[in-house]
Amino acid sequence: MSAVLKDLAELEPMREGDLAEVMAIENAIYSHPWTQGNFADSLRAGYECRTWRLAGELVGYFVLMAAAGEAHLLNLSIAEPHQRRGHGAALLQEAAGLARKLGAQNVFLEVRPSNRAAQGLYTRFGFRKVALRRGYYPAHSGREDALVLSLPL
Ligand SMILES: CC(C)(COP(=O)(O)OP(=O)(O)OC[C@H]1O[C@@H](n2cnc3c(N)ncnc32)[C@H](O)[C@@H]1OP(=O)(O)O)[C@@H](O)C(=O)NCCC(=O)NCCS
């Protein structure tokens, strides 16, 4: 069943008109969500912003920045009720494929050491730890480091 659902989901360019739905997911799944302004800026900057919809319903999205032979995955999110059904892996596949198409040789991303679900997804996909950024993220008390992961394409 889940394999069928993720295969039916559709990738589309994210638009300003998607942002209310995007923000509803973003606010529900992150302790420190992006603001609507962060998404609007990403759209204006020409970053690769995509939605992932299943029968019209927004299930997930990503924001990818690709330049000079490298890509940076800035945001990849799946709505909570749809998690653990293969959508994250399918959307990551789309993001990596797009990065490759745009000429990137590597994709980089940051992840919180406390975010076991995301680390599970990324390491299973072949990402490897390449660096640690100290105090990169805001946290409930102080700051949290970021693991920098990279995938050769
Ligand atoms: C991380 C996230 C994108 C994963 O999406 P998903 O659709 O649930 O992931 P999938 O169902 O494709 O899972 C793929 C693999 O990732 C790992 N994984 C996913 N969720 C996990 C969890 N809660 N705990 C442990 N491993 C997990 C597993 O290895 C899983 O494979 P399996 O289900 O066969 O065991 C999703 O949980 C999410 O949006 N989380 C909140 C936002 C976030 O943290 N984004 C990443 C920021 S860097």
Side-chain angles (χ1 to χ4, degrees), residues 9-113:
E10 287 180 313
L11 191 71
E12 289 163 18
M14 187 188 289
R15 302 175 207 287
E16 289 269 350
D18 294 312
L19 293 189
E21 283 170 286
V22 167
M23 286 310 300
I25 295 176
E26 183 77 11
N27 285 326
I29 61 174
Y30 288 103
S31 60
H32 295 80
W34 277 26
T35 64
Q36 183 153 333
N38 294 143
F39 286 100
D41 287 348
S42 296
L43 288 171
R44 268 195 294 275
Y47 295 168
E48 305 295 332
C49 307
R50 299 287 186 277
T51 58
W52 185 244
R53 288 185 184 274
L54 191 60
E57 181 189 354
L58 187 67
V59 163
Y61 46 85
F62 71 73
V63 176
L64 178 87
M65 186 176 71
E70 311 246 298
H72 204 127
L73 188 57
L74 301 175
N75 189 317
L76 177 104
S77 304
I78 299 295
E80 193 155 22
H82 295 281
Q83 289 178 7
R84 223 56 212 266
R85 294 179 187 176
H87 286 294
L91 193 52
L92 186 55
Q93 183 87 51
E94 296 283 355
L98 178 59
R100 195 179 299 115
K101 209 173 92 185
L102 293 170
Q105 283 153 19
N106 291 284
V107 187
F108 293 91
L109 59 83
E110 278 88 20
V111 62
R112 289 178 189 259

